[in-house]
Amino acid sequence: MSNIKVLQLRSAGVSLVLDCSGPGLPSVLHWGADLGELSDAALVDLRRGAGAVQVGNGLDDNQPVAIVPEYSSGWFGLPGLNGHRDGQDFSASFQLSEVAQAGDTVQVAASDAQAGLGLALVIELTDSGLVRTKAELTNTGDSPYTVDGLVLALPVPTEATELLDLTGRHIGERHPQRSTFTQGLHVRDNRRGRTGADATLLLYAGTPGFDFGTGEIWGVHTAWSGNHRSYAERGMSGFAVIGGGELLLPGEGRLESGGSYATPWIYGSYGVGLDQVSTRFHEYLRARPTHPSTARPVVLNTWEAVYFDLDLDKLKSLADAAAEVGAERFVLDDGWFRGRRDDHAGLGDWYVDEGIWPKGLHPLVDHVTGLGLQFGLWVEPEMVNPDSDLAREHPEWILAAGNRMPPTARHQQGLNLGIQGAYDYLLERLDSLLNEYDISYLKWDHNRDFVDGGNQLTGTAGIHEQTLAVYRLLDELKRRHPGLEIESCSSGGARVDLAILERTDRVWGSDSNDALERQKIQRYTQLLLPPELIGCHVGPPKAHTTGRTQSLAFRAATAIFGHFGIEWDISTASAGERAELAGWVALHKELRPLLHTGRVVRADRGSDDFLLHGVVAQDGSRAVYSAVQLAQSITSEVGRVRLPGLAKDRVYRVGKLATPGAEPRNSAPWWTDGVELNGAALAAVGVQIPAQWPESAVLLEVLAID
């Protein structure tokens, strides 16, 4: 391919310029702010202007870094393809054979005849301005080829000198951490067999001090629910990339002649400020044909209400209370199946326990649906207790390496869905339950990390096949049961990624229902997901995970900004508490058309004691903000708080949103009658926030009046 071929993709204020001139793989000349419509001649000059300078002791012919970076081209960083053919063909040099563009999608075919490899790339720019790319490697040689790793990379400019990623733990997910983007490799590897509570949802590189409303930012997300890698690297030349891919265990990438390996999708988002970067993901997810299209039902989940004490009369009473306060979905959590009296036994035996339910689940399901509520059921299909009939009958179905069992976690092991018999058993059991009962919703849990995740029948690693099998199982259940909704719960928020969300309808944000913890967990989970995909529940007065006691108003004001629910034994709540909760449920139902379609915005404050976040209608006509006092302020007043995201030239009325049981300690001068200001003034000056007690929140309603 001798002709210079430079392609430009444009969407939603983003330009992606690809150099497909060959002879090697495509490289990205520009990913960032929209450049306008450039002529072919201008694109060629852009390529010339971005060319590398030959200096010092470098290579005589510096090559641009490809989307799959190649050692053979002189890239001394992490290679895109790491593999070999029994020690040979360790370094590929792909040559372009075909480039095809259809709209904002570019498909590339390349090969290395000497190494016996073919490579297909897909590069897309979505309507919301996200870059999506994936690769498929094919062994065209006569002998096996082993892929040890295949990652894709996107370049970031010299100005991106700061990194932000997320970490966390069970009941403490989504904590941000920042570092300087210096020379070298910044790697976030995950070997837990699931996305992980400590995984970074996104890895960001940006200009110094970037925040929710400021700074140029480039972010990348690896859409894979098993072992994976996200990384950022800056070389000696100053050239920098961010990227990711699946993290393969030894032997998982072995390809026989004619065999192929496909990477997960790698997503890139560019924007000015984290709000714009996250908005691109929200718009992309909402535009999917599979995105939930009905109002998100208010949920009552039984776990923190009853735990394993599944008494039919008690559950009926809880369902009655749920209907009374306005819930729309009742979810029976753990403990309903054979041998399940605590978390030591029963996982894998997915039959209704006849000892607890002599008539099956029908009396409860009929009672719940008779109240007009949907019925949901908790399952944990990928796990098995050693103390279960399934494990005793099929110990070889446990994910394990060699002749030893991994250490247990929560008294359980992983069930190897990569073994056809185990997969068929789960499909039959779950399908049977869904056929027998009127189940609208599955809460699909995954409560442990995988250690020594191997296939006992073959002696090989099994996480890659396990992950693909889970996807197939979810897809097949959805195919057989149209309308079924599934939640991805994984020790709370330990499986949150765009691949699992291709076949599920929400994630459980965290096993912590402590509203103080949840404020930041939800804030940073929303960097990837819109509010309607994040389960947020009102927990009991005393949080089971932290021991904190919080007001109902604070718990509800925190939960209202997601897929709202209740996880509390409200059958024992006072009449006043139930009335207050019913008021919050009604308020959420009134607000959810806005909360579940609008743009999420967050104010940059620079302190840890106060947060402000909100949702603005797409047409700018309405907004709701939450002013959250996390802790006692270091100053006597919080001060004026700017309200981001409004149309600058429209006039708005700002007032308090009437919320059950939520009143500030001392109101501000405007609090009773409201103020009328344009969006520019509200964004630049803001309003004084009433004084609040720690662990409390007030909601502001903003309505356009012009």
Side-chain angles (χ1 to χ4, degrees):
M1 299 181 62
S2 58
N3 294 331
I4 294 176
K5 188 171 187 178
V6 183
L7 305 178
Q8 182 186 24
L9 308 180
R10 299 175 63 210
S11 181
V14 174
S15 280
L16 180 70
V17 181
L18 299 171
D19 183 0
C20 300
S21 302
L25 293 172
S27 61
V28 175
L29 293 175
H30 171 76
W31 167 41
D34 187 20
L35 305 179
E37 191 64 42
L38 299 181
S39 67
D40 290 344
L43 289 170
V44 171
D45 274 354
L46 182 70
R47 178 180 185 267
R48 292 179 61 238
V53 177
Q54 311 303 123
V55 294
N57 197 34
L59 301 177
D60 293 333
D61 183 17
N62 281 341
Q63 298 294 316
V65 178
I67 291 175
V68 179
E70 292 182 296
Y71 183 40
S72 60
S73 71
W75 172 248
F76 294 105
L78 182 70
L81 173 61
N82 187 17
H84 63 96
R85 196 181 303 277
D86 195 20
Q88 297 182 338
D89 300 325
F90 66 93
S91 176
S93 180
F94 288 102
Q95 305 296 296
L96 276 182
S97 57
E98 185 179 354
V99 177
Q101 182 179 5
D104 286 326
T105 299
V106 175
Q107 293 186 315
V108 175
S111 63
D112 182 340
Q114 178 65 37
L117 298 172
L119 186 69
L121 292 174
V122 179
I123 305 147
E124 298 179 352
L125 188 62
T126 71
D127 290 344
S128 68
L130 290 180
V131 175
R132 289 205 321 162
T133 182
K134 68 184 303 184
E136 184 170 5
L137 184 77
T138 301
N139 177 14
T140 59
D142 296 329
S143 59
Y145 181 88
T146 298
V147 182
D148 292 322
L150 182 54
V151 297
L152 296 101
L154 294 168
V156 294
T158 306
E159 290 78 8
T161 59
E162 188 172 319
L163 296 176
L164 169 66
D165 58 13
L166 304 175
T167 186
R169 63 176 182 88
H170 178 232
I171 67 172
E173 301 86 345
R174 316 288 174 249
H175 286 268
Q177 54 185 15
R178 289 181 182 258
S179 59
T180 303
F181 192 178
T182 57
Q183 287 189 34
L185 184 62
H186 177 93
V187 182
R188 294 297 306 277
D189 279 353
N190 183 288
R191 293 179 173 84
R192 298 182 180 276
R194 57 176 172 170
T195 318
D198 60 341
T200 181
L201 286 189
L202 293 112
L203 172 61
Y204 303 93
T207 53
F210 67 85
D211 216 321
F212 287 104
T214 61
E216 279 193 287
I217 304 167
W218 295 260
V220 67
H221 170 76
T222 303
W224 184 248
S225 311
N227 297 333
H228 63 281
R229 165 173 287 175
S230 300
Y231 76 99
E233 185 166 18
R234 189 183 302 279
M236 182 178 65
S237 66
F239 195 88
V241 298
I242 56 175
E246 182 183 4
L247 190 62
L248 292 163
L249 292 178
E252 286 188 322
R254 180 180 170 86
L255 304 179
E256 299 299 329
S257 180
S260 297
Y261 166 74
T263 70
W265 283 106
I266 305 301
Y267 289 78
S269 183
Y270 164 81
V272 176
L274 291 167
D275 281 353
Q276 188 178 75
V277 172
S278 64
T279 293
R280 298 196 191 283
F281 283 104
H282 297 181
E283 291 179 354
Y284 167 77
L285 289 164
R286 286 170 170 169
R288 301 169 302 158
T290 57
H291 193 73
S293 58
T294 59
R296 299 294 75 215
V298 175
V299 176
L300 186 138
N301 190 79
T302 66
W303 178 241
E304 290 195 17
V306 299
Y307 291 106
F308 291 104
D309 184 17
L310 301 190
D311 175 79
L312 179 58
D313 290 337
K314 171 67 175 179
L315 292 169
K316 285 183 174 181
S317 175
L318 191 57
D320 292 341
E324 176 190 329
V325 300
E328 297 157 307
R329 174 181 285 163
F330 182 93
V331 180
L332 178 65
D333 212 286
D334 199 352
W336 56 268
F337 47 96
R338 284 182 185 168
R340 192 68 165 174
R341 300 298 182 269
D342 53 35
D343 63 1
H344 288 68
L347 277 179
D349 298 341
W350 300 110
Y351 298 86
V352 177
D353 192 317
E354 300 87 347
I356 304 176
W357 312 94
K359 297 181 181 179
L361 295 177
H362 294 290
L364 179 61
V365 174
D366 292 346
H367 184 78
V368 168
T369 56
L371 292 168
L373 279 67
Q374 298 176 12
F375 182 81
L377 191 66
W378 179 94
V379 293
E380 193 174 1
E382 299 153 79
M383 301 297 158
V384 61
N385 285 124
D387 185 5
S388 66
D389 292 341
L390 183 67
R392 284 184 283 270
E393 184 176 351
H394 288 289
E396 75 281 5
W397 287 359
I398 293 175
L399 276 165
N403 58 359
R404 63 178 183 268
M405 284 290 110
T408 56
R410 207 187 177 201
H411 318 291
Q412 62 194 48
Q413 297 284 9
L415 189 66
N416 190 350
L417 275 67
I419 296 175
Q420 191 63 43
Y423 176 94
D424 292 341
Y425 165 77
L426 286 179
L427 177 58
E428 185 278 326
R429 282 289 76 226
L430 296 172
D431 186 48
S432 294
L433 288 165
L434 293 168
N435 283 327
E436 181 175 356
Y437 298 104
D438 186 4
I439 297 171
S440 304
Y441 178 83
L442 290 178
K443 180 182 178 183
W444 189 293
D445 215 337
H446 182 300
N447 271 316
R448 68 156 294 166
D449 297 323
F450 292 139
V451 178
D452 272 357
N455 186 320
Q456 293 188 63
L457 301 184
T458 62
T460 58
I463 298 301
H464 174 76
E465 289 301 324
Q466 172 81 3
T467 306
L468 292 177
V470 171
Y471 293 163
R472 289 196 303 273
L473 182 58
L474 290 165
D475 290 343
E476 180 61 17
L477 288 171
K478 286 264 190 150
R479 186 191 69 79
R480 294 188 183 190
H481 301 277
L484 173 70
E485 293 194 0
I486 301 176
E487 173 184 72
S488 173
C489 176
S490 186
S491 309
R495 187 155 64 183
V496 178
D497 61 79
L498 295 190
I500 201 67
L501 275 160
E502 288 181 13
R503 56 267 302 167
T504 57
D505 302 279
R506 79 169 199 171
V507 301
W508 181 222
S510 175
D511 276 347
S512 177
N513 283 317
D514 180 318
L516 186 64
E517 301 292 330
R518 272 297 191 124
Q519 280 288 337
K520 289 189 176 180
I521 290 170
Q522 292 167 196
R523 185 178 184 86
Y524 289 99
T525 304
Q526 286 180 2
L527 289 177
L528 183 67
L529 305 184
E532 66 269 23
L533 295 182
I534 305 170
C536 308
H537 291 183
V538 178
K542 184 175 181 179
H544 291 198
T545 53
T546 64
R548 289 192 186 102
T549 300
Q550 295 158 338
S551 70
L552 174 53
F554 183 52
R555 283 140 52 210
T558 300
I560 202 171
F561 279 87
H563 184 171
F564 187 78
I566 305 157
E567 198 142 346
W568 167 25
D569 185 3
I570 58 172
S571 66
T572 62
S574 69
E577 288 174 320
R578 284 201 215 177
E580 185 177 342
L581 179 60
W584 280 102
V585 171
L587 178 61
H588 175 76
K589 290 178 179 179
E590 191 273 320
L591 292 177
R592 69 185 167 192
L594 166 64
L595 298 177
H596 294 173
T597 63
R599 289 182 293 109
V600 175
V601 295
R602 287 146 290 209
D604 297 322
R605 290 284 299 176
S607 65
D608 293 331
D609 53 32
F610 178 86
L611 295 176
L612 184 129
H613 63 90
V615 178
V616 180
Q618 295 292 344
D619 63 1
S621 63
R622 186 185 186 192
V624 173
Y625 295 90
S626 180
V628 187
Q629 192 69 49
L630 300 175
Q632 189 85 315
S633 177
I634 196 171
T635 58
S636 58
E637 295 181 356
V638 171
R640 292 182 303 202
V641 175
R642 297 171 174 178
L643 303 183
L646 301 169
K648 294 185 181 301
D649 57 350
R650 298 188 72 174
V651 177
Y652 294 90
R653 185 180 190 282
V654 183
K656 67 176 181 178
L657 185 65
T659 50
E663 283 297 327
R665 194 169 96 197
N666 297 104
S667 64
W670 62 274
W671 190 243
T672 302
D673 299 324
V675 292
E676 294 181 2
L677 292 166
N678 66 18
L682 291 170
V685 180
V687 293
Q688 181 71 250
I689 292 298
Q692 300 184 77
W693 297 109
E695 299 181 38
S696 61
V698 292
L699 303 187
L700 313 181
E701 184 175 43
V702 180
L703 297 173
I705 59 175
D706 60 345

